[in-house]
Amino acid sequence: MVRTAVLVSGGGTNLQALIDKAARGEMPSVELALVVSNSAGAFALERAKRAGIRAEYLEKAGFEERLEALLREEGIGLIVLAGFLRILSEDFTRRWAGRIINIHPSLIPSFCGAGFYGLRVHAAALERGVKVTGATVHFVNEIPDGGEIIAQRAVEVLPGDTPETLQRRVMEQAEWIILPQAAEKVAEMLERS
Ligand code: GAR
């Protein structure tokens, strides 16, 4: 099993999907060992604690240094960004190359990159009038949302959608499915390498 850290900033529904899959034995290569938030009030921290996973909040000053220390202390081999809304430095992503994955709520290369996060992504998709959107899991490199794509899943945009209704459908029909699958796939690859 690969000891895995999940980085979060908000509600943590993607973290919950990972916790639920792990509990059902559907991610045999992933051991959820640590949850780190850059936001003190993130409900994701509560979800982690309820699941018995170490949960830490790290403030902005010295964030990456402290994160690095925690990752080493916990023997982490894989980092999953699950609604983590801070951009990691080039140095950090280089050190962890091939070991960090992110879920993004659109079909990359549409509606991605700096400034596209959370509801803004879905507002932009509705504004452009696309009929299909979705979610993407990709490796993280120094370019925001620019790393190699691991998995994607398409979701229909329906008449009358708001950013909120579309966000929910993309989560239910794409994110909560492909993030655990991709985490397991990458962890399995890491185990074998
Ligand atoms: C998710 O939709 C995730 O894809 C998105 O933030 C939301 C977090 O929800 N991430 C990004 O926009 C990253 N660019 P959650 O906290 O309930 O998992």
Side-chain angles (χ1 to χ4, degrees):
M1 277 181 127
V2 179
R3 286 179 63 77
T4 300
V6 185
L7 272 52
V8 296
S9 300
T13 63
N14 278 287
L15 168 66
Q16 191 65 52
L18 292 164
I19 291 171
D20 294 348
K21 287 276 178 192
R24 288 201 293 268
E26 291 170 18
M27 286 196 306
S29 302
V30 175
E31 181 186 356
L32 297 173
L34 176 67
V35 171
V36 175
S37 173
N38 65 333
S39 155
F43 185 64
L45 288 171
E46 195 53 43
R47 294 183 192 267
K49 285 182 206 152
R50 284 183 197 170
I53 304 166
R54 179 175 180 187
E56 300 283 350
Y57 155 67
L58 296 180
E59 60 184 22
K60 200 170 176 190
F63 180 87
E64 282 189 4
E65 292 73 16
R66 286 185 186 152
L67 174 61
E68 192 80 50
L70 271 177
L71 297 172
R72 304 283 170 203
E73 183 189 327
E74 288 290 343
I76 298 299
L78 172 64
I79 302 170
V80 177
L81 310 187
F84 180 65
L85 303 184
R86 186 191 150 113
I87 292 180
L88 294 164
S89 72
E90 193 169 336
D91 267 4
F92 187 92
T93 56
R94 277 231 182 93
R95 266 198 307 282
W96 289 87
R99 290 181 179 273
I100 318 181
I101 65 172
N102 176 52
I103 177 88
H104 182 76
S106 75
L107 293 174
I108 289 175
S110 290
F111 314 115
C112 66
F116 283 101
Y117 57 85
L119 283 172
R120 289 177 186 219
V121 177
H122 304 293
L126 290 174
E127 172 100 346
R128 187 62 186 81
V130 294
K131 303 301 174 210
V132 174
T133 183
T136 303
V137 182
H138 61 92
F139 282 110
V140 174
N141 64 10
E142 70 285 1
I143 302 158
D145 299 325
E148 187 193 333
I149 291 171
I150 303 162
Q152 288 189 305
R153 196 164 171 124
V155 174
E156 243 191 305
V157 178
L158 297 180
D161 262 339
T162 62
E164 289 79 9
T165 61
L166 186 55
Q167 178 183 55
R168 184 76 194 176
R169 189 174 320 110
V170 168
M171 284 174 158
E172 283 175 356
Q173 296 183 6
E175 296 187 46
W176 302 341
I177 300 164
I178 64 171
L179 182 60
Q181 283 174 351
E184 174 59 23
K185 183 174 165 187
V186 174
E188 206 186 12
M189 266 164 34
L190 290 171
E191 269 181 336
R192 278 195 268 112
S193 67

